[in-house]
Amino acid sequence: QMRESGSIDVRFTDIARAMELTPPALYRYFADRDALLGALIADAYAALGRCVAEAREAVPVGDLFGRFLAIAQAYRRWARREPQQFALIFGLPLPGYAAPQEGPTTEAARGAMAQLSALFFDALRQGRLGHPLIGRTHPELAEHAQEKHHAEPGHVPAETFQAMVHAWASLHGFTALEAHGHFDWMSPDAREDLFVGQVRLAAYASGMPG
């Protein structure tokens, strides 16, 4: 229904009609609209995580930049292929919906986003991750880096954690602009070349070998 309408607004009545059920019958499966949206969001994150993980694992472990580029390209392709799901998890907040602090949506989001951070951990373990260009970090980011240190094997310096966030923000920014048609004035070849350059720039700034 989201694909057909081009919108991420979902209504129990429309879903029930498509399933030839009465709206109250859906409450046997989902407690309310928030529960349904939570399931859709968790599914979208899981699909994105699988897409990115498969692309990364198709590249040899030692080819760190190749893996970084594969992750970025998979993220970008998924956003273009699934614009409604992309908007559902990364777009404007849905009116009246607030995701729980912990639960399936949070776990699914962590799993999807961990695909990029796992590459940084690989580079750390191989001793091939250089110093990022930006070394100064806000104390809050340093605290998050410490939490990451307890959750993942190996020590994550604050500046490296910050570099992960910078890399994701850079890749996501390009992807969102393209997904919403802001780069349509360029040919596909030009967009591809620009994107690869963006990935190289993100890798260079984060200390990832390129």
Side-chain angles (χ1 to χ4, degrees):
Q1 287 198 3
M2 288 190 296
R3 287 193 183 99
E4 289 172 3
S5 68
S7 166
I8 59 174
D9 185 33
V10 291
R11 292 176 292 188
F12 263 34
T13 52
D14 293 339
I15 296 168
R17 187 182 304 114
M19 297 180 67
E20 299 182 351
L21 296 171
T22 61
L26 286 179
Y27 288 98
R28 289 181 294 179
Y29 305 97
F30 296 100
D32 52 26
R33 175 177 173 268
D34 280 7
L36 171 61
L37 286 171
L40 288 171
I41 290 169
D43 282 351
Y45 272 122
L48 172 59
R50 285 193 302 272
C51 178
V52 170
E54 288 170 3
R56 185 191 66 213
E57 293 308 309
V59 180
V61 175
D63 185 0
L64 290 172
F65 178 74
R67 286 190 144 206
F68 190 41
L69 180 59
I71 284 173
Q73 290 284 31
Y75 188 94
R76 177 189 178 207
R77 283 194 303 269
W78 187 84
R80 294 170 67 185
R81 187 174 68 245
E82 302 290 350
Q84 283 76 39
Q85 289 192 73
F86 182 73
L88 184 66
I89 59 179
F90 292 125
L92 292 173
L94 291 163
Y97 175 76
Q101 291 297 315
E102 296 294 334
T105 55
T106 303
E107 287 302 311
R110 286 173 180 161
M113 296 301 101
Q115 304 304 325
L116 178 60
S117 61
L119 190 62
F120 280 83
F121 284 107
D122 286 344
L124 276 169
R125 282 191 290 269
Q126 294 177 29
R128 297 173 59 197
L129 187 65
H131 293 291
L133 290 184
I134 307 298
R136 185 185 63 82
T137 58
H138 190 278
E140 185 177 330
L141 283 174
E143 184 178 337
H144 282 296
Q146 187 64 26
E147 292 173 2
K148 197 79 173 171
H149 168 54
H150 291 300
E152 299 280 357
H155 176 60
V156 184
E159 60 269 22
T160 295
F161 178 79
Q162 178 175 263
M164 294 182 196
V165 179
H166 279 155
W168 175 58
S170 176
L171 300 178
H172 179 77
F174 187 105
T175 299
L177 285 168
E178 185 179 42
H180 293 124
H182 296 294
F183 286 157
D184 285 354
W185 54 274
M186 282 184 278
S187 69
D189 283 348
R191 289 202 303 268
E192 179 69 21
D193 191 69
L194 188 68
F195 182 74
V196 173
Q198 183 84 4
V199 175
R200 289 195 180 279
L201 184 62
Y204 176 71
S206 63
M208 186 72 64

